[in-house]
Amino acid sequence: MPEPTPVSMSATLAADEALARRRRAGERVLSMASGEIGLPAHPALRARLAAAAAENAYGPVAGSPALRTAAAGYWERRGLGVDPELVVAGPGSKALLFALLLAIGGDVVVPVPSWVSYTAQARLVGARPVPVPILPGQGGVPDPERLREAVTLARAAGLNPRSVVVTLPDNPTGTVAAPGTVRGLADAARELDLVVVSDEIYRDLVYDTSQPAVSPAVHAPERTVVTTGLTKNLALGGWRTGVARLPDSDIGRALHTRLVAVASQIWSSSTAPVQAAAAYAFGEPPEITEHITASRRLHEKVVRAVADRFTAAGAVLAPVRATCYLYPDFEPLRARLAETHGVRGGDALAQLLSERHGVGVLPASAFGESGRALRIRVATSRLYGDSDERRTASLTAEDPLGLPWIREAVGRIGEVLTDLTA
């Protein structure tokens, strides 16, 4: 009997659990490992979830007509019109991404660095990940030229790359790939006959709304699947809802049939009350768009303040344009960290920050990089308070950095970095 595929715990969830145990034990910890958005659910969404609580029957596998229509409208307003019949809902975009890899088949190209679950999910479906580095400051999208080289070499070695997963904007770097890079990716995908799976769950968290992230679906509409959800823009991670936009093409329609079949065997249908609330959210009424605008503003202010602490300590950072993530590089401090702390890679750096200071971050190795890389992923979205009262105050404050709990957290980060690099 063959051995089962090795499965590791998600790095973000494992780090969160470890920090929670230390907090329960009375230790002082600062959680910056998880991408959990520490903001309350909007009252209008809570009301719609409660009102739909009686909806306890199975629904359509692809999602309710109301949700699919609302999601189609959401994409239409972003220049990515789609027939609601080509929209599929699932219990979170993470589950949808996994189901898409099953439906597409073959091996999977992933950017380096990239979100912790892409490579793990590829292995779980029996595929082999094909890593391709990003261009500097353009996280989430593999370098198009190196993509061509990697796929050609992989196929010559007997692998079967059939898809490439991208993230726009990016986790872990908080950057956004340039329009020219996205066009280059789309051209390469067409040449190589790859399906592009574009994870755009952070799309609404680009700080400068006059320069949104460009989707590969603009340049390769016939072969690009777009996924999104409400986990990040509306902080609804626990509600587990996501949607996928399939291309209106022979590729897209065949993939839609396979994706719905996979979904029918895994989750049957998404949670009905959550779908009702999600349909309202994707309709983007004024109170919802205002809530997202406020959260985007909060993320930007706190991220920039924390970024200043890292650059002051001597780390290098690409300009963060979206999300609540930073990806500082301590390479300029390599000799000092090795001499003072015995730190020679990101794993040791993350361990030192956790054990000595109670600060939870993730090393670059969690995102597919070498263990030698002195980079870490820092998430600022848990700094907004430890109660709904404080989180709401953070969201509505004109100057959130002046709130005592945020000021203390940012100040502590500065103190830890001073101790680390002095």
Side-chain angles (χ1 to χ4, degrees), residues 135 141-149 180-185 188:
L135 289 166
V141 174
D143 177 347
E145 287 307 313
R146 297 182 75 169
L147 171 64
R148 288 182 174 90
E149 296 171 7
T181 301
V182 176
R183 180 187 287 275
L185 165 83

Side-chain angles (χ1 to χ4, degrees), residues 13-144:
L13 300 182
D16 253 7
E17 289 187 7
L19 288 169
R21 286 194 297 270
R22 294 176 63 175
R23 186 180 289 110
R24 288 193 297 269
E27 296 183 43
R28 184 188 184 198
V29 299
L30 190 62
S31 178
M32 295 196 294
S34 165
E36 174 83 41
I37 305 296
L39 293 172
H42 193 281
L45 298 179
R46 296 203 301 267
R48 276 158 179 79
L49 182 70
E55 297 184 20
N56 63 330
Y58 289 116
V61 175
S64 71
L67 174 53
R68 288 186 284 110
T69 299
Y74 169 90
W75 276 307
E76 175 74 38
R77 290 186 291 276
R78 287 154 180 79
L80 299 176
V82 63
D83 184 337
E85 292 300 314
L86 288 171
V87 174
V88 177
S93 62
K94 190 173 186 177
L96 277 169
L97 288 163
F98 180 74
L100 278 163
L101 296 185
L102 276 171
I104 296 167
D107 298 316
V108 186
V109 178
V110 295
V112 178
S114 63
W115 179 52
V116 298
S117 289
Y118 295 147
T119 294
Q121 287 193 348
R123 291 190 174 121
L124 281 172
V125 302
R128 289 159 292 189
V130 179
V132 180
I134 63 169
L135 289 166
Q138 299 191 55
V141 174
D143 177 347

